[in-house]
């Protein structure tokens, strides 16, 4: 088989890129090692920047997001028993974010792809990119015990942090930067009304907590937890009790509880690999970088990578210019590092670190106090949260 672009990975970055390419008449094939249902069973991001919303529209997959997503004009920082609203809309001159689950965004992109008839191959084993240093790259995989090969012009590695694309690059050609945090997030989903109509990021002596949502009737809550915490030790009752303790009293009283239907623990990590292009192989999204979820940036960074790569490929095929693909890595990384910085800063400001001394604790309190009393400081937070331009 031959195509123009092979996309490894059918997560948000692979699907979004595929949809944009198909819309521009550029042939592509998506390969994923797991099934569609498995991908749709993953619960992850919930907050979309306007740039991500715009790309969903451009991919002609935005209709349900606009109908069912919840535009948010602000969020709350809770500490010292009180709420401090960050007015995203007012501080950024009219920008907001959209609360819409990654699961739904992924479903919309998959459905749109099915309508276009563009090929996706799921349950593909041993996917491997080859010869991306030369002019004739190809990808091999195994399906139902039969070896397959797809020849192509370019390979987009959209296969997440544990994918094969980054691992296929010779070690000496890549540089990685990593910070692992000494805690994780325990998250649950429950069909109960959200405690507040906006998100609450809470700094508390017992640890960080986040109140988020998926709809008016479905809530997503997170608690900072130790890395060795076991899911089976967290009954719903224990989760709700702990969440109540970490929220200001008026929220704790308003909290509606119920049975959870998803519960998981995610470790927190910052990671960047440089560069993001190796000949005719491009790394996109989590394959190239990971951020802790505190800034809600992971999925949005995947989307901005897709934007830069799509524009580069469009230039290659339509204008016969490689300027865009040549600039991909530098353009994407400039935005990536700013989001890595913001996510690290939000994480540092809002969590309790096991080894925090009195000095660091006082600095954290001063930072929160500054943020809630200085319009300039709050504006810098808001500008990053709604997303830097791309
Ligand atoms: P994905 O979603 O990991 O998709 C990669 C796909 O590649 C496939 N794959 C392979 N296919 C073929 N061969 C191989 N060898 C393969 N290896 C892997 C996988 O099966 C999969 O289908 O990467 P992508 O597309 O780059 O998307 C990135 C986002 O998923 C991620 O950044 C976000 O979920 C991060 N994130 C958040 N981002 C936000 O922007 N806002 C948020 O509010 C937010 N909250 C979160 C988050 C991530 C979380 N977790 C669980 C890590 C909250 C959490 C708890
Ligand atoms: C979520 O709703 O899953 C969510 C929201 C905000 C974050 C992280 C996760 O910062």
């Amino acid at each position: 088989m031959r195509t123009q672009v092979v996309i490894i990975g059918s997560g948000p970055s692979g699907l979004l890129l595929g949809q944009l390419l198909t819309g521009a008449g550029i042939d592509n094939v998506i390969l994923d090692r797991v099934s569609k249902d498995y991908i749709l069973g993953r619960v992850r991001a919930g907050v979309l920047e306007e740039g991500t919303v715009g790309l969903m529209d451009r991919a002609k997959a935005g209709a349900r997001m606009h109908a069912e997503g919840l535009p948010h004009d602000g969020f709350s920082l809770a500490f010292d028993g009180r709420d401090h609203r960050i007015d995203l809309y007012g501080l950024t001159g009219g920008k907001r974010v959209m609360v819409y689950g990654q699961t739904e965004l992924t479903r919309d992109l998959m459905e749109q792809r099915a309508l276009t008839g563009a090929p996706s191959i799921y349950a593909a084993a041993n996917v491997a990119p080859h010869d991306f240093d030369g002019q004739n790259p190809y990808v091999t995989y195994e399906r139902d015990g039969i070896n397959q090969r797809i020849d192509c012009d370019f390979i987009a590695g959209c296969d997440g942090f544990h994918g094969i694309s980054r691992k296929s690059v010779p070690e000496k050609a890549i540089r990685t930067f990593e910070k692992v945090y000494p805690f994780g997030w325990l998250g649950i989903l429950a069909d109960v009304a959200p405690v507040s109509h906006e998100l609450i990021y809470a700094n508390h002596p017992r640890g960080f907590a986040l109140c988020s949502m998926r709809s008016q009737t479905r809530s997503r809550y997170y608690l900072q937890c130790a890395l060795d915490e076991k899911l089976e030790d967290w009954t719903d009752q224990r989760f709700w009790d702990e969440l109540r303790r970490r929220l200001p009293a008026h929220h704790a009283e308003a909290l509606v509880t119920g049975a959870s239907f998803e519960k998981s623990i995610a470790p927190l990590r910052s990671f960047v690999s440089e560069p993001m292009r190796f000949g005719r192989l491009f790394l996109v999204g989590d394959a190239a970088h990971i951020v802790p979820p505190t800034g809600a940036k992971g999925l949005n960074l995947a989307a901005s990578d897709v934007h830069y790569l799509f524009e580069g490929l469009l230039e290659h095929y339509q204008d016969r210019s490689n300027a865009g693909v040549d600039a991909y890595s530098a353009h994407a990384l400039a935005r990536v590092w700013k989001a890595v910085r913001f996510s690290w800063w939000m994480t540092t400001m809002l969590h309790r670190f096991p080894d925090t001394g009195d000095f660091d604790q006082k600095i954290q309190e001063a930072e929160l106090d500054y943020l809630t009393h200085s319009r300039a400081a709050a504006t810098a937070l808001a500008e990053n949260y709604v997303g830097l331009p791309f």
Side-chain angles (χ1 to χ4, degrees):
M1 197 198 302
R2 185 177 170 87
T3 189
Q4 289 171 300
V5 183
V6 172
I7 299 172
I8 306 179
S10 178
S13 47
L15 287 163
L16 189 55
L17 179 64
Q19 211 40 41
L20 293 169
L21 291 174
T22 302
I26 301 168
D27 289 340
N28 60 92
V29 176
I30 294 183
L31 293 172
D32 203 292
R33 88 184 141 82
V34 298
S35 70
K36 251 187 183 182
D37 286 346
Y38 185 90
I39 293 168
L40 291 174
R42 289 196 284 236
V43 179
R44 287 185 172 179
V47 178
L48 310 183
E49 298 171 1
E50 283 184 357
T52 307
V53 168
L55 284 173
M56 283 293 284
D57 287 335
R58 194 158 175 201
K60 299 191 178 64
R64 196 161 68 96
M65 173 189 68
H66 286 292
E68 296 176 16
L70 305 170
H72 280 212
D73 290 350
F75 66 82
S76 172
L77 278 180
F79 59 95
D80 244 357
R82 280 181 300 138
D83 259 334
H84 305 263
R85 184 167 189 266
I86 301 293
D87 175 11
L88 296 173
Y89 192 83
L91 290 164
T92 60
K95 293 206 165 77
R96 38 169 68 109
V97 292
M98 173 81 90
V99 172
Y100 190 64
Q102 175 169 334
T103 316
E104 302 313 311
L105 172 141
T106 306
R107 188 191 309 280
D108 296 345
L109 286 165
M110 280 179 176
E111 282 176 6
Q112 208 49 41
R113 185 168 179 88
L115 288 179
T116 65
S120 298
I121 298 159
Y122 290 97
N126 300 324
V127 175
H130 303 274
D131 288 2
F132 42 84
D133 261 349
Q135 295 301 308
N136 302 302
Y138 63 98
V139 176
T140 54
Y141 65 97
E142 213 180 293
R143 182 83 217 262
D144 301 327
I146 300 165
N147 292 323
Q148 307 279 0
R149 168 180 170 142
I150 311 178
D151 291 280
C152 56
D153 301 330
F154 297 104
I155 303 169
C158 301
D159 48 351
F161 183 65
H162 300 287
I164 188 67
S165 299
R166 193 181 67 251
K167 288 184 196 134
S168 306
V169 174
E171 238 172 75
K172 61 180 183 343
I174 199 163
R175 184 161 178 213
T176 60
F177 304 81
E178 186 168 38
K179 183 172 182 67
V180 176
Y181 301 86
F183 41 72
W185 278 18
L186 168 63
I188 66 162
L189 264 180
D191 277 332
V192 292
V195 63
S196 163
H197 68 288
E198 292 185 340
L199 270 60
I200 304 168
Y201 289 81
N203 175 312
H204 189 274
R206 297 181 65 92
F208 170 75
L210 171 60
C211 304
S212 182
M213 65 194 75
R214 288 292 176 272
S215 69
Q216 314 278 14
T217 55
R218 180 167 290 182
S219 297
R220 177 78 166 148
Y221 293 113
Y222 296 99
L223 292 174
Q224 174 185 347
C225 66
L227 279 170
D228 57 3
E229 209 70 63
K230 295 203 172 35
L231 264 186
E232 55 271 25
D233 294 339
W234 283 88
T235 60
D236 287 351
Q237 190 59 46
R238 182 176 172 208
F239 186 96
W240 296 122
D241 289 346
E242 185 59 31
L243 180 58
R244 264 196 214 97
R245 286 194 194 103
R246 297 185 189 187
L247 297 178
H250 64 290
H251 288 313
E253 280 154 26
L255 187 71
V256 187
T257 64
S260 73
F261 60 90
E262 200 271 348
K263 205 179 272 162
S264 53
I265 294 178
L268 268 64
R269 175 199 310 265
S270 302
F271 173 89
V272 182
S273 70
E274 290 190 356
M276 288 170 58
R277 178 212 181 165
F278 306 88
R280 288 175 171 260
L281 169 69
F282 302 89
L283 300 182
V284 182
D286 278 17
H289 41 72
I290 294 283
V291 287
T294 327
K297 288 286 161 258
L299 171 59
N300 292 300
L301 273 187
S304 58
D305 289 354
V306 165
H307 162 81
Y308 293 123
L309 182 56
F310 170 63
E311 292 297 336
L313 292 172
L314 204 56
E315 245 179 84
H316 172 87
Y317 285 109
Q318 288 186 350
D319 308 334
R320 311 238 155 258
S321 159
N322 282 328
V325 288
D326 288 346
Y328 168 71
S329 180
H331 276 162
L333 281 167
R335 192 170 189 279
V336 164
W337 273 111
K338 290 185 200 94
V340 169
R341 183 207 70 83
F342 177 67
S343 306
W344 159 83
W345 174 73
M346 285 281 279
T347 303
T348 308
M349 179 174 68
L350 291 170
H351 290 74
R352 294 292 160 140
F353 286 68
D355 54 355
T356 296
D358 293 348
F359 179 84
D360 294 317
Q361 188 51 44
K362 284 287 182 188
I363 293 290
Q364 196 184 65
E365 287 162 22
E367 181 96 62
L368 286 163
D369 189 50
Y370 176 48
L371 258 181
T372 46
H373 287 93
S374 157
R375 190 175 168 90
T379 302
L381 189 167
E383 177 184 48
N384 281 276
Y385 193 85
V386 300
L388 297 174
F390 55 81

